[in-house]
Amino acid sequence: MRSTLRQMLRLGTILAGTSVSTLLAGQALAQSSGGQDNGGGEIVVTAQKRSESIQKVPISLQALGAVTLEQHQVSNFDDYAKQLPSVSFQSFGPGQSQVFFRGITSGGDGLPFGALPTSGVYVDEIPVTTIGSTLDVHVYDVNRVEALSGPQGTLYGASSLSGTLRIITNKPDPKKFSAAIDVTGAKYGKGNAGGTVEGYVNLPLASNVALRAVGWYEHDGGYIDNTFKSRTYQRPYTAPDGSTVTSPYTATNAAFVKDNFNDVETYGGRLALGIELDDNWTVTPQLMAQHQKSHGSFLYDPNAGDLQVHDFTPESNLDEWYQAALTVQGKVGNWDLVYSGGFMGRRIRNQSDYSYYTVAYDSTPNVNYFKTASGADINPTQWFFGSQNQTKQTHELRVNSPSDKPLRLTIGMFMQRQTNQSVLDYFAPGVGQNVYAGWWDGSTVWGDSIFLTNARIIDRDYAMFGQATYDITRNLSLTGGIRGFISKNTLTGFSGYSYDAPASCTVPFPTIDSCSNLNKKVVASGETHKVNLTWQVDQDRMVYFTYSTGFRPGGNNRRPGVNPYTPDTLDNFELGWKTSWLDRKLRINGAVYYERWKNLQFALIVAGSGGLTNIYNAGKARVYGAELDVQLRPVTGFSLTASGAYNDAALASDFCLVGANSTQDCTAGITSPKGTRLPVQPRFKVTTTARYEFALGPIAAHIQGSMLHQSSSTSLLGTSDNAIVGNSLGFSTFDFAAGGSKGNTSVELFIQNAFDKRGSLSHNVFTAPSTSGQFYRIYPIKPQYFGIKLGQKF
């Protein structure tokens, strides 16, 4: 996969370079054919798998159009999530995020062997939701980002439990040539500088064929310092006479000290070919690939200081992926037919500091005491290395009846197969030479591994779905939809401490075939449905009521003997409106809703689990919420937009302690009582933007100011765990921009987080909070960041 990906990235780089060379050669000039935008014009979306005005779609939907994305300097997931009030997320850095809608999270998603995400993510028609972290697609030459709040299980299926994110790219256009290049130079206020070069070319090859090539390169400077620290492990052990004595060992992180060590390099490309076979049929193959390498930690340690950590091992994250997609659109009679298929390969290599685990267990006899045969001490500091090789294959075929008829149908079939071959290695360099038998000796260790997982997950999903809308009257429509599904998930391989390895593990390093203590399978089936009643009061005002459901498949736990976890489901009751007033100078959209989450999947380390995180069904939760989106354009050139969400998400039943049989035992105690807040999601989040566009001689100038505010959020679902880690406090941050354009040339100055507010998005821990929660880290909002962007269209 590595050589294939590198070849694709080289191809993208060549294409981008060819595009830039073409631009500089001054070939035919034309206006950019960029995507539709929400800067006052109508936005056409495909959230219901047919093209419709956003104001006519009876679901809670926010769309960030191409111009809005550009105005807010959006280039990655963190940037656009900031603009979506109903979206929250946990993250360990670029390519390591988990996204949630409306507070539907238990705070334990994103593990390679954990539950599937609660939110679906799509690029165009193809789902790219993966086991573990959200794909961090670089945002450039994108038509829009759609955020569909609430369960979308009928049309989008598994893992669209809480909502769906869709990144819609610009398509090849055979009607005209267009191209652009954008260059950005930027710096973190207390960190290093970076920059971005992006470009695209849309090249008609014939009257019915066009090629669209996109390329990007981005280097982000770092802003977190790894500062010097020494620590002394006491290393208690059992002496020959049976007493417990200590053998102190002092370690330092001097070899890894560095300022601004969390830099990121991202490059990639997209190549799409649009072929119009005739007036009714089009074929669009597309290839996209991205390489992203980050160093250091993106979470800081408040005990070390502002934007500082004390890390004792190397840290980096490599995330590279490619996606090949094919979309076929046509007509069968007067029905529209769409086939979309894709194959994605993703390769992740992560190394992290795990030394706080060593610190946490230093008081336990024999855990950290290692000696060589010559009597030399072995540094017990634990390192972590994770390797994931993921694949995802999807196919969907659907038909839509004519949109101008009183009865409109969407019918389709869907299947996907996704795999994750993962190795998680917790090790201490040199421990393989250990001869002290207090816990284990080197003869039972593979190399320097202390705990190792080498396993493969295969998830298969099959579904059929249908949705029908009938116009009861000219202004009143009824919609019903249903989706039937089957999911099959398997887990095979090995997971455990080296001293727990079965006798069959006779190789130097365990493989799935030769060393296995896992062979699990879980199969589930069911349905999800939706009912909607829409009243189009007049041309500019609509009110709707929706009852919809969503689901997330269950799965297997990697600890032998622990039962599988079952699917969780979500019921959504929503009353919404989409209205325009004052000759459409004022737009007010909103929704109020109540959601019921049943059998919620929760990641937990329980007593006797050997430190392993397992997934359990934790009971019920509920959400009371409201969303509001307002846009005002009182005079020419001035606009004011505001979007906000209120989500009161909490447990609706007690979550009791989990016993050895993987079920809750309320007689043993309660982990989280009814009414406990669900973690990560703030109760209130709002973003506002004021923008003024005006003529400054021959220059079309603009100034813009934006504000983001969100209230506090809890960090963990377990009340005692959260008491250790603490809440993320509320914060407000401000962004400003000013610039102008003349002809096809533009320039903009910007500053984000102008007052360098240290807002916290989440408090994260690397292992069990009960043992190492006091060493929690904070994932901050982007520190003060300023720069200049130059653009040229052709």
Side-chain angles (χ1 to χ4, degrees), residues 546-568:
T546 297
Y547 163 61
S548 59
T549 64
F551 74 98
R552 177 173 52 164
N556 298 289
N557 283 300
R558 59 185 165 131
R559 179 167 176 80
V562 177
N563 295 335
Y565 51 95
T566 61
D568 50 1

Side-chain angles (χ1 to χ4, degrees), residues 232-237 245-250 362 368-371 377:
T232 299
Y233 303 111
Q234 296 304 312
R235 302 195 314 157
Y237 69 99
V245 296
T246 61
S247 177
Y249 181 95
T250 299
D362 190 44
N368 289 338
Y369 185 72
F370 304 117
K371 287 277 190 179
D377 289 319

